[in-house]
Amino acid sequence: MTLLIGIMLLSAYLCGSISSAVLVSQLFRLPDPRTHGSCNPGATNVLRLGGKFPASLVLVFDLLKGTIPVWGSYFLNIEPLYLGLIAVSACIGHIFPIFFNFQGGKAVATAFGAMLPIGLDLGGLLLASWMLLVAITGYSSLAAIVTVSLAPLFTWFIKPLYTLPVSMLSLLIILRHHENIVRLWRGKESKVWDKTK
């Protein structure tokens, strides 16, 4: 089982390391999201740089990077704590992708995808929370921070067994947003519909 867990941790990291934002931007001849807009290779920045369709592709691929390794590990009967580590590994791959000079994004969509196997009810709550906060504030980063902060609480009411793994993911995403938190505090954070930072 230890070897299997190690293989899944490595697989999750490598899966997470595939930067869909960079690849989709290259496919649609868009500016490199690592150096343009907010300089974050994620769906929100691709939305600013190229519009809804490329951003939607990035979102779907980033979700799958979290869902596939965690769901696969679940069916291999890997325990919840290790499922959490595998989910974190996929997100670390997104944040520090070995295939893209370790220049990655915030891993919000990948973390969301990793939580989806817990249940569609959790996914619905997270999506509704994020969309509501974006609609009210216009800040994708703030919506992500608040939503992942609520994720362990939602999980506790839905499937408490997975509260610790989800908490691990939430902490990682919040730490990854430390620069956004500073910009939000200073009133310098860009909104979803801003074309430039």
Side-chain angles (χ1 to χ4, degrees), residues 4-33:
L4 178 61
I5 292 169
I7 291 171
M8 293 310 298
L9 284 168
L10 178 60
S11 299
Y13 172 76
L14 294 175
C15 187
S17 289
I18 302 170
S19 181
S20 57
V22 174
L23 294 175
V24 168
S25 294
Q26 291 175 350
L27 178 65
F28 286 87
R29 300 179 184 274
L30 302 175
D32 190 331

Side-chain angles (χ1 to χ4, degrees), residues 8-116:
M8 293 310 298
L9 284 168
L10 178 60
S11 299
Y13 172 76
L14 294 175
C15 187
S17 289
I18 302 170
S19 181
S20 57
V22 174
L23 294 175
V24 168
S25 294
Q26 291 175 350
L27 178 65
F28 286 87
R29 300 179 184 274
L30 302 175
D32 190 331
R34 295 171 295 181
T35 56
H36 291 77
S38 67
C39 300
N40 176 59
T44 301
N45 197 29
V46 173
L47 175 64
R48 296 188 186 104
L49 297 171
K52 294 179 180 179
F53 184 63
S56 298
L57 291 178
V58 172
L59 180 62
V60 170
F61 290 139
D62 283 353
L63 286 168
L64 290 175
K65 290 194 306 186
T67 302
I68 291 172
V70 172
W71 216 341
S73 299
Y74 172 80
F75 283 109
L76 291 171
N77 296 316
I78 292 176
E79 295 178 4
L81 176 61
Y82 295 112
L83 287 177
L85 291 175
I86 289 164
V88 167
S89 185
C91 291
I92 290 175
H94 181 90
I95 295 168
F96 302 110
I98 192 171
F99 305 126
F100 294 87
N101 300 316
F102 301 100
Q103 293 178 287
K106 297 292 174 25
V108 174
T110 302
F112 180 76
M115 295 180 200
L116 278 180

Side-chain angles (χ1 to χ4, degrees), residues 117-168:
I118 294 174
L120 293 179
D121 43 3
L122 176 62
L125 283 171
L126 295 174
L127 181 60
S129 299
W130 185 85
M131 292 179 66
L132 179 63
L133 287 161
V134 169
I136 292 172
T137 68
Y139 294 112
S140 176
S141 58
L142 178 61
I145 293 164
V146 174
T147 298
V148 298
S149 298
L150 292 171
L153 179 63
F154 292 155
T155 306
W156 174 260
F157 285 108
I158 295 169
K159 286 187 180 177
L161 180 64
Y162 296 101
T163 302
L164 178 58
V166 169
S167 298
M168 294 160 57

